[in-house]
Amino acid sequence: MADVAVEMPGRVHRWRHIAFFRRALLIVFVLGQTAVASYYLLWVLPYHGGTWVEIGMTALFAILYAWIAVGFWTAVFGFFLRLTGGDRHALLRRHSEDALAATPLAKTAIALPIYHEPVQWTLSGLRAVYRDIERTGLIEHFEFYILSDSRDPDVWLEEQRVWAEMVSELGAEGRLFYRRRSVNLNYKSGNVADFLRRWGRRCRYMVVLDADSLLAGDTIVRMVRLMEREPGVGILQTNPTIINAESFFARIQQFANRFYSTLFATGLAAIQMGDAAFWGHNAILRIEPFMKHCGLPKLRGPGIFGGPIMSHDFVEAAFMGRAGYEVWLETGLGNSFEESPPTLEDELTRDFRWAKGNLQHLWVMLREPGLRFAHRMAFLNGAMAYLASPLWLGFLVLTTLEAARMTLAPIEYFPEGHQGPFPLWPEWRPGWALILALSTFALLFLPKFLALLDALCHRYARDFGGFLKLFGSVLLEIVISILLAPVRMWAHSRHVLVALFSLSLSWAGQNRTEETTWRKALAAQFPGMLVGGCWSAFAWSLDTMFFLWSLPVAIPLLLAAPTAVFISRKGPGDALRGLDLLRVPEEKEPLRPILADARRFRQARAPSEVWRPFEQAVLDPRLNRLHQALARDHRRGPRRRHLEAAVVRCLVDGPYALNRGERSDLARDRQSLAALHEGAWRAPDNSYWGQCLRRKSLQGSAGTLAQPESGAT
């Protein structure tokens, strides 16, 4: 099939009309409900919107309420679709299983971009994916690419070593490749773009994985076949579920994702249809149009709205849609997995990296021509994930100003902004205030109880421990969500300010194992704790009722540090697992082969090494030959003198007397690796390299250590 956007008038016309009706219905529900709630707020406020402070409060409330209402109605749509047997217009419903099984496969690349990830752990996941595709008997249709952007030679030399071991173990010669960029431009999107420019034409499709991704072999095969039968689809996105949670925090995230996402993903897929978003991983891309239409421009706006696009995925989906191709989220494609950050601190660190990219989407939304409305709304929704926090903080500030004025200042019968000959009498409507509060809580929490009802209707509550345990898990998740919401609000508000002022932003590998220490928690959470304490004290000085109203925000901020420490621990997570709380189906069912493989590979201990990766690359004859084969000759012009001097310094003072860049230069140069190998083996016993060899001998491995081929001793 030709890789062009094929217009299929009847079908395309049909799904676009259905999508238009569903989106219009969503907009009517959201805007109608927001208008009613805003009207209630105006009549709850003492001057009924007669002051600029109250107008500001109402405007912020309307924006936040509408954003929450979008999520609420998305879950409601998902619930009713599942109640009626699912979305009959979903992409997967167009083809029978027999028709899919009879569809020939096309050559597909499995790409794993990595940057300073735990090497053994990350590549063990790719090993599990390889084995699972092998079980399908269709491995010959797939090629695997490890795309490294790592800068530290101790990391990328280890990547090269583990890759070579994987190729040998899996028998994957000519099928499993490793490539590291020498110049790191434009983050992950630049990494993938560089790969596609060089090797993209080898394959028709590309499946993108993340460092913590696992995607079952039969799911990947179905994705390729579905793309073959749907030439108008440019991107097909799965709905990943979180697995392997150990800490209390990760188990909360895992449960919420696994249990609630059934409704939210169903509703989201039904509303977006062929204009879905791309989440950057666990998806399949049609390479030819992706290369042709999805190149990311550098933004030419002020501040954060200039420079390279940091969050690439939504933009690539929008560009694919602009080119006439469809982008689908297909919830019927199961066995798609990822992992959660283990601690709150790691989640907030990741969000700090994402905040600027999501805010940049506002510029793309406003400036890029030809984008589809659904993709522009996806940009807005992604930006609101961070903008909602400073907006909420602004609402709290205005509420405090209003309370302070009502308490400390005399009543103003002709407040600023009021027009007319008659005075404005302040009045309170506590009944209306209660109705408004209940409405807001319903938006936030009713979808969680709809998920409980869905579990009863479809009889899968037992997969989560039975209804009573499931109900307890939902209540526990709600309590933790309430505790974490103000902490996230404060952190995201800081992230937005940092992004708007274009302060430095760095990207690094994610922590996957460490718990949060008290020192780290206090350092990170103390500003928010101080703000929460001062605000609560000020509220107490103003009015008892206002103080009580402030507590749901102030108490979580005051408890932020102990909360962060406690939920980072594995002990509480293990205790809850023992009580069958926050349980997910994968914890009790026999593990799927890919999950069993990944767990076994990641739990297998690598042999204890007394040499660091750079030392191994120099001293181990086998690894030195490997790294030489992957290196190039860089001794041209003035670089020759620089490299020769660096070799001498490395042999005399050891590699860690050099900076990271100098070590990388040596490890990338074939002649330098050869010279270091021979020189290190000839080094005196009391030298750095002689001591390295002595440490190896003391470990008891001297008898198995091969001598260099040159015969140097």
Side-chain angles (χ1 to χ4, degrees):
M1 291 186 184
D3 279 342
V4 295
V6 179
E7 286 293 333
M8 289 157 274
R11 190 180 68 199
V12 172
H13 178 81
R14 180 175 175 79
W15 81 253
R16 289 210 182 278
H17 276 73
I18 294 167
F20 177 82
F21 173 76
R22 290 173 174 178
R23 295 166 193 171
L25 197 63
L26 175 68
I27 291 172
V28 168
F29 286 164
V30 169
L31 294 184
Q33 188 173 18
T34 302
V36 172
S38 300
Y39 175 80
Y40 265 75
L41 178 64
L42 283 173
W43 285 99
V44 165
L45 296 174
Y47 293 106
H48 311 315
T51 68
W52 295 116
V53 171
E54 292 186 352
I55 292 173
M57 289 175 61
T58 305
L60 292 178
F61 173 82
I63 295 171
L64 292 169
Y65 194 93
W67 185 61
I68 298 171
V70 169
F72 169 79
W73 287 110
T74 299
V76 171
F77 280 16
F79 174 78
F80 281 105
L81 280 172
R82 285 180 52 80
L83 201 62
T84 57
D87 186 2
R88 59 193 181 92
H89 300 290
L91 190 68
L92 203 55
R93 292 283 190 98
R94 298 177 182 173
H95 308 283
S96 68
E97 288 299 323
D98 290 341
L100 282 178
T103 304
L105 296 180
K107 181 68 76 175
T108 301
I110 311 292
L112 176 63
I114 54 176
Y115 176 68
H116 286 180
E117 298 289 347
V119 178
Q120 193 77 38
W121 185 94
T122 300
L123 297 189
S124 291
L126 184 63
R127 182 187 282 115
V129 173
Y130 187 101
R131 285 297 192 202
D132 213 49
I133 295 178
E134 207 171 37
R135 289 188 191 95
T136 68
L138 300 166
I139 193 71
E140 69 274 8
H141 297 285
F142 297 91
E143 294 179 348
F144 298 77
Y145 295 88
I146 301 166
L147 310 178
S148 174
D149 257 350
S150 300
R151 302 291 93 194
D152 188 334
D154 272 338
V155 175
W156 59 261
L157 287 170
E158 180 75 358
E159 291 169 356
Q160 292 182 173
R161 180 186 68 80
V162 175
W163 160 75
E165 291 174 354
M166 284 175 58
V167 170
S168 176
E169 175 196 335
L170 298 171
E173 293 83 359
R175 184 168 290 124
L176 174 57
F177 305 97
Y178 174 89
R179 192 281 281 118
R180 189 184 78 88
R181 283 199 298 172
S182 57
V183 179
N184 186 342
L185 293 176
N186 299 336
Y187 312 104
K188 179 180 175 180
S189 63
N191 192 0
V192 173
D194 180 77
F195 159 71
L196 290 176
R197 281 192 296 268
R198 296 170 186 270
W199 298 288
R201 290 176 176 82
R202 289 173 58 93
C203 299
R204 182 175 296 178
Y205 304 112
M206 175 175 66
V207 174
V208 184
L209 301 179
D210 222 349
D212 57 5
S213 292
L214 292 172
L215 197 53
D218 56 355
T219 298
I220 293 175
V221 168
R222 291 181 79 199
M223 291 166 71
V224 175
R225 286 173 168 160
L226 195 53
M227 293 290 280
E228 282 288 276
R229 298 192 68 87
E230 294 286 343
V233 176
I235 302 176
L236 178 60
Q237 174 71 62
T238 66
N239 180 40
T241 55
I242 295 175
I243 54 166
N244 294 336
E246 296 291 338
S247 68
F248 187 6
F249 176 79
R251 286 185 60 77
I252 286 284
Q253 301 299 99
Q254 175 181 263
F255 172 78
N257 167 271
R258 189 69 173 83
F259 186 56
Y260 304 140
S261 71
T262 302
L263 297 189
F264 283 102
T266 301
L268 184 64
I271 293 165
Q272 293 178 333
M273 300 193 77
D275 294 324
F278 169 44
W279 297 333
H281 59 91
N282 290 40
I284 187 169
L285 316 174
R286 193 177 298 272
I287 288 179
E288 184 179 339
F290 188 83
M291 292 175 64
K292 184 176 181 181
H293 302 292
C294 297
L296 300 183
K298 285 195 174 182
L299 301 181
R300 300 185 180 277
I304 67 166
F305 304 116
I309 295 174
M310 300 186 68
S311 292
H312 60 96
D313 36 20
F314 277 30
V315 181
E316 289 161 346
F319 286 0
M320 187 70 83
R322 181 171 64 181
Y325 286 84
E326 301 171 13
V327 181
W328 285 84
L329 166 63
E330 181 48 70
T331 59
L333 293 167
N335 296 332
S336 176
F337 307 100
E338 61 179 339
E339 296 196 3
S340 166
T343 70
L344 174 64
E345 185 66 26
D346 291 303
E347 182 196 76
L348 296 179
T349 300
R350 181 194 65 184
D351 286 346
F352 179 62
R353 300 198 308 264
W354 287 356
K356 181 176 180 179
N358 280 37
L359 293 176
Q360 284 179 324
H361 291 169
L362 294 175
W363 187 262
V364 179
M365 178 187 76
L366 295 173
R367 304 283 293 189
E368 280 291 330
L371 301 183
R372 298 196 60 79
F373 175 77
H375 287 133
R376 294 186 193 274
M377 292 301 99
F379 287 145
L380 181 60
N381 189 59
M384 276 298 297
Y386 296 97
L387 288 176
S389 291
L391 292 178
W392 181 16
L393 184 60
F395 179 79
L396 294 177
V397 170
L398 292 180
T399 304
T400 304
L401 291 176
E402 181 78 353
R405 185 169 67 172
M406 291 299 298
T407 303
L408 303 176
I411 295 175
E412 297 183 40
Y413 296 100
F414 294 92
E416 182 184 358
H418 174 64
Q419 296 179 354
F422 301 105
L424 187 62
W425 298 91
E427 59 179 330
W428 297 94
R429 296 176 183 267
W432 287 43
L434 180 61
I435 293 173
L436 184 60
L438 291 176
S439 166
T440 306
F441 279 115
L443 287 183
L444 290 170
F445 299 120
L446 187 57
K448 300 176 187 289
F449 294 101
L450 279 180
L452 274 173
L453 185 57
D454 183 77
L456 286 177
C457 293
H458 294 90
R459 300 182 180 180
Y460 60 85
R462 62 181 179 277
D463 297 335
F464 292 85
F467 180 76
L468 291 179
K469 296 291 181 67
L470 178 57
F471 184 75
S473 298
V474 169
L475 293 181
L476 178 60
E477 190 275 332
I478 289 174
V479 170
I480 299 299
S481 296
I482 292 172
L483 279 175
L484 296 184
V487 180
R488 289 184 171 121
M489 174 202 68
W490 176 251
H492 288 175
S493 298
R494 290 166 48 217
H495 296 168
V496 170
L497 289 176
V498 167
L500 290 175
F501 285 100
S502 298
L503 301 181
S504 61
L505 204 59
S506 61
W507 295 72
Q510 179 178 299
N511 163 47
R512 304 190 186 278
T513 56
E514 296 179 3
E515 298 178 344
T516 300
T517 63
W518 277 100
R519 181 176 181 179
K520 191 174 182 180
L522 286 169
Q525 304 299 339
F526 180 75
M529 296 169 68
L530 184 62
V531 168
C534 292
W535 183 51
S536 185
F538 181 65
W540 174 262
S541 70
L542 288 178
D543 180 74
T544 303
M545 289 302 297
F546 184 63
F547 168 75
L548 295 176
W549 179 87
S550 74
L551 291 182
V553 175
I555 289 177
L557 286 174
L558 288 168
L559 297 178
T563 299
V565 171
F566 179 73
I567 63 178
S568 76
R569 301 291 190 243
K570 293 184 179 179
D574 291 338
L576 290 168
R577 183 185 288 110
L579 294 173
D580 241 9
L581 291 174
L582 303 179
R583 168 180 156 181
V584 296
E586 286 76 15
E587 292 179 328
K588 291 294 184 180
E589 296 174 353
L591 283 179
R592 294 173 175 85
I594 187 172
L595 298 183
D597 280 350
R599 178 174 296 181
R600 185 174 72 255
F601 295 151
R602 287 169 174 172
Q603 288 177 345
R605 290 190 174 184
S608 177
E609 290 288 349
V610 297
W611 290 341
R612 296 169 70 173
F614 191 93
E615 296 166 346
Q616 292 178 4
V618 170
L619 292 171
D620 189 296
R622 179 181 59 84
L623 292 179
N624 186 262
R625 289 195 300 273
L626 167 69
H627 296 310
Q628 283 192 53
L630 295 172
R632 295 184 178 182
D633 294 323
H634 292 283
R635 297 196 175 194
R636 299 183 183 90
R639 291 188 61 81
R640 173 184 291 274
R641 186 174 301 174
H642 164 74
L643 289 169
E644 289 174 347
V647 167
V648 172
R649 287 176 55 207
C650 185
L651 289 174
V652 173
D653 300 323
Y656 299 101
L658 282 65
N659 62 39
R660 193 174 79 175
E662 291 171 324
R663 293 198 304 275
S664 284
D665 290 341
L666 293 178
R668 293 190 304 116
D669 180 59
R670 185 177 295 123
Q671 294 183 53
S672 296
L673 284 170
L676 285 171
H677 179 63
E678 184 168 350
W681 274 91
R682 293 182 182 275
D685 289 345
N686 62 349
S687 69
Y688 179 93
W689 296 104
Q691 293 299 316
C692 284
L693 292 169
R694 179 174 175 79
R695 289 203 311 271
K696 191 74 170 180
S697 299
L698 292 175
Q699 191 191 37
S701 304
T704 61
L705 183 62
Q707 297 294 315
E709 291 182 353
S710 64
T713 60

